[in-house]
Amino acid sequence: ATARPLARVAQSSEADVERAVGAAREAAPAWAALSGHARARYLYAIARHVQKRSRLLAVLESLDNGKSIRETRDIDIPLVARHFYYHAGWAQLMEDELARFEPVGVVGQIIPWNFPLLMLAWKIAPAIAMGNTVVLKPAEFTPLTALALAEIVADVGLPPGVVNIITGDGRTGELLVNAAVDKIAFTGSTEVGRAIRRATAGTGKRISLELGGKSPFVVFDDADLDSVVEGVVDAIWFNQGQVCCAGSRLLVQES
């Protein structure tokens, strides 16, 4: 680490958030009306572009987040492409397998800094595959790969307004939660999750919250102890321990 700035990123204002939500709202009817096969073509294109630019994205993710290049190159970025491929398949199956379901509309999405681009793929890919439009705010500490993904989205010709990226800190996130969206999808701390639940109560907005926890690693007396040791170390130290489901408690059968 050098402590030198990597980039300057905008703090989105209320007007910026409203403009992004408005663009998503305007794009929503036409995007939802597309066939699943048509939407799938866009998701396949995004996945292919992620693969083509995997080297750039891996380096950018390591610079921005601080995780090792081995993890970004071999785990994070390949998984990003796979998520877009996977949900492209679901877009094609939607009319048959999810015939009674319909898009929610405009989804506001807020993600943390531990898996910046992978969390983005988790949020955006299923939402747009099912015919929704999105406004996503990356963590204020790790926005660079989200902005790179915005360039990819533009390059593949995704209709304007389907995917919108806004940058900023918690104040921007609060603006998004209170904006005219149909759903909020949040991954982050339990404290902020509670605040979002209070803010959305009675508004009719749908929410999904993936919050921090204390996940137990359970060991019974018939376990292979060599595998246990390897598993315990991986469970708590993968991604430097910055994982929502990291095995931060160890429960061992007394014998």
Side-chain angles (χ1 to χ4, degrees):
T2 63
R4 290 200 302 267
L6 292 172
R8 293 174 62 84
V9 180
Q11 170 72 33
S12 296
S13 66
E14 185 173 2
D16 295 325
V17 174
E18 288 179 357
R19 188 154 59 246
V21 172
R25 181 69 63 194
E26 187 176 343
W31 182 248
L34 276 182
S35 71
H37 283 272
R39 288 198 300 272
R41 284 199 293 271
Y42 287 108
L43 274 87
Y44 281 128
I46 293 171
R48 287 194 296 271
H49 275 66
V50 167
Q51 289 178 312
K52 287 177 184 176
R53 302 182 197 184
S54 60
R55 210 179 161 98
L56 167 67
L57 293 171
V59 172
L60 192 57
E61 194 82 318
S62 284
L63 284 169
D64 207 15
N65 168 277
K67 67 175 72 185
S68 70
I69 190 68
R70 181 186 66 80
E71 290 187 15
T72 60
R73 180 196 63 210
D74 298 344
I75 301 171
D76 291 33
I77 306 307
L79 278 174
V80 170
R82 285 171 61 185
H83 276 286
F84 279 101
Y85 278 129
Y86 175 79
H87 289 287
W90 271 110
Q92 293 178 85
L93 293 171
M94 183 179 180
E95 291 169 12
D96 295 325
E97 299 294 328
L98 301 167
R100 292 176 295 167
F101 292 86
E102 57 187 32
V104 173
V106 178
V107 184
Q109 304 176 329
I110 303 169
I111 58 174
W113 44 262
N114 53 347
F115 294 90
L117 194 59
L118 183 54
M119 286 279 186
L120 176 149
W122 285 7
K123 290 280 190 282
I124 288 180
I128 66 173
M130 298 294 103
N132 303 285
T133 58
V134 303
V135 179
L136 180 136
K137 189 195 87 68
E140 64 264 38
F141 301 116
T142 53
L144 298 186
T145 45
L147 296 174
L149 195 281
E151 292 181 353
I152 288 174
V153 160
D155 287 346
V156 304
L158 193 73
V162 174
V163 170
N164 307 272
I165 308 293
I166 54 173
T167 54
D169 58 20
R171 291 169 292 173
T172 303
E174 186 177 359
L175 290 170
L176 181 57
V177 168
N178 293 318
V181 297
D182 300 301
K183 175 175 177 168
I184 290 290
F186 171 78
T187 299
S189 72
T190 303
E191 180 185 6
V192 174
R194 288 194 185 107
I196 290 172
R197 187 68 193 91
R198 287 193 294 269
T200 56
T203 64
K205 291 176 185 173
R206 301 186 191 189
I207 61 169
S208 58
L209 305 174
E210 183 199 357
L211 309 179
K214 302 295 285 183
S215 303
F217 193 105
V218 183
V219 184
F220 295 104
D221 65 359
D222 61 349
D224 174 353
L225 289 183
D226 287 337
S227 296
V228 166
V229 171
E230 200 170 305
V232 165
V233 171
D234 193 47
I236 190 58
W237 289 122
F238 171 64
N239 201 54
Q240 294 72 57
Q242 302 294 350
V243 181
C244 300
C245 55
S248 49
R249 288 187 294 155
L250 183 58
L251 304 181
V252 184
Q253 190 165 349
E254 189 172 14
S255 59

